[in-house]
Amino acid sequence: MKTINPENNTTNSFRKWFTLSNISTMVMLAFIVAMLVIPNVKAFVIQNLMKVGLFQPSVPPVNQNSNTEALTQENTQDVVFKDGNGNTVSLSELKGKVVFLNFWATWCPPCIAEMPSINELKKRYKGKEEIVFLMVDADSNYEKSTKFMQKRGYDLPVSIAVSSVPDNIFDGSLPTTLILDKQGRLSFKHEGSADYKNQKIVDFIDQLLVE
């Protein structure tokens, strides 16, 4: 009569659980959970997908929206933003400049993912007064968002909205990016993460700058 050793059964069960297949499954599950609960992990994944050509913004022809009503006309409610020094600026005051307007939040993975590309885009236009970058913290937490930029070494000016914002500009989707031409017209709008160091975006802005 064969004697069954309980310790051997436990060892065999343990070995069955720790097969290569089960380990791979556990690692994958841990990675998925990390993506769901840790913003920087999801942002890292999106950034790497950008490197292989995904998350590229769809850029329209420059004059496609030439008949679009200017957002800064008198019959349109103006939008006002404030920086950390208490300085305010409205979209109407920015007529004559190209405006790159981004709504974001520090806890938003797609926002975190696209931030390096926006920083690179701004560097490209350093010293050009004809273009303005407004990084608007959707949570209106200027202190937290400024620390976020400083920690990562981004040269991106943080603002908060101090007036109501029409839905055609921002309806709550994060991130939301708009580019206004020198007449204050909405020339580009994208909801979701995108790679803004894309050459098509650069060419698009360059064309707006010379209009």
Side-chain angles (χ1 to χ4, degrees):
M1 182 176 176
K2 187 176 181 179
T3 303
I4 299 175
N5 188 336
E7 291 185 1
N8 287 338
N9 286 340
T10 302
T11 301
N12 289 334
S13 297
F14 184 79
R15 287 175 178 172
K16 287 180 180 179
W17 270 105
F18 279 85
T19 62
L20 181 60
S21 175
N22 285 341
I23 291 174
S24 298
T25 300
M26 286 187 289
V27 170
M28 181 61 69
L29 288 173
F31 180 71
I32 292 173
V33 170
M35 282 188 61
L36 293 174
V37 300
I38 305 176
N40 285 332
V41 173
K42 187 173 182 179
F44 175 78
V45 172
I46 296 174
Q47 285 174 357
N48 280 276
L49 291 175
M50 286 180 181
K51 293 178 181 178
V52 298
L54 298 181
F55 294 96
Q56 301 304 312
S58 178
V59 183
V62 168
N63 295 320
Q64 178 172 303
N65 295 320
S66 59
N67 294 322
T68 301
E69 182 182 10
L71 293 175
T72 52
Q73 286 182 346
E74 291 181 3
N75 62 350
T76 302
Q77 184 173 6
D78 208 353
V79 185
V80 182
F81 304 101
K82 182 173 69 173
D83 65 19
N85 296 319
N87 301 315
T88 60
V89 65
S90 65
L91 292 183
S92 60
E93 293 173 327
L94 292 175
K95 288 189 69 174
K97 299 179 184 291
V98 173
V99 180
F100 184 97
L101 180 60
N102 179 271
F103 292 87
W104 67 288
T106 57
W107 48 263
C108 165
C111 304
I112 297 171
E114 70 179 5
M115 204 65 70
S117 69
I118 297 176
N119 191 58
E120 288 300 313
L121 181 66
K122 184 176 182 296
K123 282 182 181 179
R124 189 181 186 92
Y125 296 102
K126 185 176 182 179
K128 287 187 176 292
E129 296 182 356
E130 306 97 314
I131 182 168
V132 175
F133 285 77
L134 292 175
M135 306 299 296
V136 183
D137 179 11
D139 290 334
S140 297
N141 190 331
Y142 182 85
E143 183 178 355
K144 184 177 180 180
S145 55
T146 300
K147 287 181 179 179
F148 172 93
M149 295 296 189
Q150 292 173 344
K151 181 178 179 180
R152 288 160 177 78
Y154 298 147
D155 181 27
L156 296 171
V158 175
S159 299
I160 62 173
V162 290
S163 68
S164 59
V165 180
D167 288 342
N168 64 335
I169 296 180
F170 178 57
D171 63 4
S173 299
L174 290 175
T176 293
T177 301
L178 307 94
I179 300 176
L180 279 62
D181 68 12
K182 291 182 178 180
Q183 288 72 46
R185 294 181 299 226
L186 180 57
S187 299
F188 169 89
K189 183 176 182 179
H190 181 83
E191 294 179 351
S193 190
D195 181 7
Y196 289 105
K197 66 180 184 294
N198 183 296
Q199 187 60 43
K200 290 182 179 180
I201 283 287
V202 173
D203 293 342
F204 181 76
I205 292 176
D206 285 347
Q207 290 181 62
L208 292 178
L209 287 171
V210 299
E211 279 193 335

